Amino acid sequence: MERNGSAIEDRDMIREPLLLKSRVNTTSQIAIVGANVCPIESLDYEILENDLFKQDWRSRKKVQILQYVVLKWALVLLIGLATGLVGFFNNIAVENIAGFKLLLTGNLMIKQSYYLAFASFVGCNVALATCAAVLCAYIAPAAAGSGIPEVKAYLNGVDAHSILAPSTLFVKIFGSIFGVSAGFVVGKEGPMVHTGACIANLLGQGGSRKYHLTWKWLRYFKNDRDRRDLITCGAAAGVAAAFRAPVGGVLFALEEAASWWRSALLWRTFFTTAVVAVVLKGLIEYCKDGRCGLFGEGGLIMFNINNSVPSYNTIDLLAIILLGVIGGIFGSIYNYFVDKVLRTYSIINERGPGFRVLLVIIISILTSCCAFGVPWLVQCIPCPDNAKEECPSKGRSGSYKSFQCPPGHYNDLASLLLTTNDDAIKSLFSSLNTNEFRIASLVFFFFAMYFLGIITYGIAIPSGLFIPVILAGASYGRLVGRLLSPIANLDCGLFSLLGAASFLGGTMRMTVSLCVILLELTNNLLMLPLMMLVLLISKTVADCFNKGVYDQIVTMKGLPFLEAHAEPYMRHLVAGDVVSGPLITFSGVEKVGNILHSLRMTSHNGFPVIDEPPITDAPELCGLVLRSHLLVLLKGKVFTRHRRLSGTETLKRYHAFDFAKAGSGKGLKLEDLEIEPEEMEMYVDLHPITNTSPYTVVETMSLAKAAVAFRELGLRHLCVVPKTPGRPPIVGILTRHDFMPEHILGLYPHIDPHK
């Protein structure tokens, strides 16, 4: 009995906050997008079944439905074409700009003008870095960073005006070109995902009155559901364009980016990435004859190591297991420091755009000094007699950079540092010469990439994490291969590939998509079993310490991301325990003044509509009306002087497209309304725009179940209704922020978040 009595007291203690009618959700309504702090909202993925929608749906003919389907396929075709072209343009620009810089530096080194070569190298890098930083700091701060966390949050239902804006797309493209050309330890692969999503968003805006793009067909896409599908295709296309990995792009969207998936979306993403692959292949064939400047056949990364047949023994398998463990440990440490650096940089970035540019310049100088200075620490190596390529290398690329060495010698560390990141990876993955890079040089290079990768991510330039992680992982993988070369069957190039896979698995915690991307990159399907093994081990080890890097960044930026599973402590609570107030409801026929007052006093985006006598016998929940729909209705001024149903007039005057979501957040605002004083006492019928079938849960439903339902259905509002009769027909509304840990644990601090 004592135990039962104690349990009842504990339950009463949990229920006590329900008595607080004015309980308010105080979770943050802003987040960091790129390097910018901006307000955030949730997306409306729910189909709003109001009278206008039903009228529109009944009136649609088969030809209109066919138009919608054809147009959706046409849009994903355009997304594939545009993303492929942008990816190719990025590579041409980087290869030519970075190639010019490296040729200039190399020619001065041959003339032994070392100080002038250093000044030219640093000057070019700082100039390019400043261009990227100015674009990011002053035009589109949301373009800073990888962009994958922001795209992932958007596809989870989090919206910010600047995430996918046209200005963000512009800066993402050119900022990435300048940043990668400046020699930063960053990749263009993450920004390409964001770029593909921005292109998809731009094409899926549903037309624009400003630019006179109001073709009737385009209006079908003025909703978040269709935009979500197109942006998922854009993210997949970005990976396909960055890595020339179409299947990997589809799997990346499925495993990492998208929160909702269905078979129809699989077909569209696969079609989009196939288009990207065809576009890239055609353009690469065009550039084979040197028609694209310094851009060669290998300009778009394809690390072809299929000349190595992987035969392995017990020692190789033990070494691969060791690589997986090392990758998991190094990856978790890497994520820890990236999180700390991002938090530090956010303090600097808050001081203004000038400080952001200054930070970029400082990191650029540090990176340039490291790339030019570290090779002086190692001795020159005689050129191998059986070298397959010219030694020392001439031109901007090559595995045998002479640097300060006499004729017939090369500097192996300069061959890795004074080149593009893509060429450095190709050299590390090469199986032609086991002793091409000395152990000491690989150690220096690993620490340089590990350190510079950590301090570079977070500055105000578009920067991807894939390439820094691949560089660091490939260096310690090749180091293990060098140490085990006398007794191992696998060559150094394959060990380097497995090292890169282990570090990728340890940082990003992806398995299937990474495996396929790396196999498509290297064109070596025979590595599949070993790749699977090393990725599974590294992810398992790293998960023991912290979360994946993108999950950490989403949390750090304050984006209210809903996980696929509910937290354990949610099972101790019910839906009614976390409903926040004050709850504002409207009558089915409401006074204009009351609506305006509520819109001015709150920032709520959804309001319950309750029918009362004489319309119904007793108060009952009619449905939910959106803030944006109320603004359109008030703008049209379909008012009556007396409280009566006037929905027929509204249905005749309006079309469902009139209430569609505006592109890029350019919808009506409260300030746009001009309501006369006498109109404030008039009435408006809300029934035609009320969603009469909102998703509802009873107040005693487990909060864990409510959270899973909220995410899986892609909701913005979840109505909580009473269990017992004789009470108001709605208890409250659950939104995304009501499921956030800071809100729940703030209400119930005595709950252990891990139980």
Side-chain angles (χ1 to χ4, degrees), residues 420-459:
T420 61
N421 292 334
D422 291 355
D423 285 340
I425 295 173
K426 289 173 188 172
S427 298
L428 288 169
F429 283 0
S430 172
S431 302
L432 299 177
N433 183 1
T434 301
N435 299 319
E436 183 177 344
F437 303 105
R438 289 170 301 192
I439 292 175
S441 298
L442 291 171
V443 172
F444 276 127
F445 184 72
F446 167 71
F447 282 109
M449 293 300 101
Y450 198 89
F451 171 72
L452 291 174
I454 289 172
I455 66 169
T456 304
Y457 191 82
I459 61 177

Side-chain angles (χ1 to χ4, degrees), residues 246-268:
V247 179
V250 175
L251 293 174
F252 174 85
L254 170 61
E255 183 178 5
E256 183 66 16
S259 294
W260 295 277
W261 197 265
R262 61 185 192 280
S263 58
L265 187 56
L266 177 66
W267 279 100
R268 290 194 181 95

Side-chain angles (χ1 to χ4, degrees), residues 606-657:
F607 300 89
V609 176
I610 296 176
D611 278 333
E612 298 172 332
I615 297 176
T616 57
D617 295 333
E620 64 179 39
L621 179 63
C622 175
L624 199 70
V625 65
L626 296 182
R627 183 187 192 91
S628 58
H629 292 184
L630 286 171
L631 291 173
V632 174
L633 194 63
L634 292 176
K635 181 78 173 177
K637 297 187 176 183
V638 186
F639 305 149
T640 58
R641 295 194 176 276
H642 305 286
R643 188 188 292 269
R644 66 178 179 83
L645 295 173
S646 58
T648 307
E649 300 171 24
T650 305
L651 291 173
K652 290 179 181 178
R653 178 168 177 178
Y654 288 103
H655 192 276
F657 289 130

Side-chain angles (χ1 to χ4, degrees), residues 503-557:
F503 200 20
L504 282 168
T507 53
M508 299 181 183
R509 314 295 162 82
M510 293 181 282
T511 52
V512 180
S513 56
L514 279 180
C515 184
V516 174
I517 287 171
L518 288 171
L519 291 175
E520 289 185 283
L521 273 178
T522 56
N523 198 21
N524 194 337
L525 193 61
L526 297 174
M527 291 295 293
L528 178 61
L530 301 181
M531 196 84 71
M532 293 170 65
L533 178 64
V534 77
L535 282 168
L536 287 170
I537 293 173
S538 61
K539 173 178 166 53
T540 302
V541 171
D543 281 340
C544 297
F545 299 101
N546 51 29
K547 296 195 293 185
V549 65
Y550 295 132
D551 293 325
Q552 283 193 175
I553 294 171
V554 165
T555 303
M556 189 278 298
K557 287 176 175 286

Side-chain angles (χ1 to χ4, degrees), residues 112-130:
Q112 297 186 349
S113 302
Y114 300 140
Y115 291 107
L116 185 58
F118 174 69
S120 301
F121 183 69
V122 175
C124 289
N125 283 348
V126 170
L128 291 167
T130 304

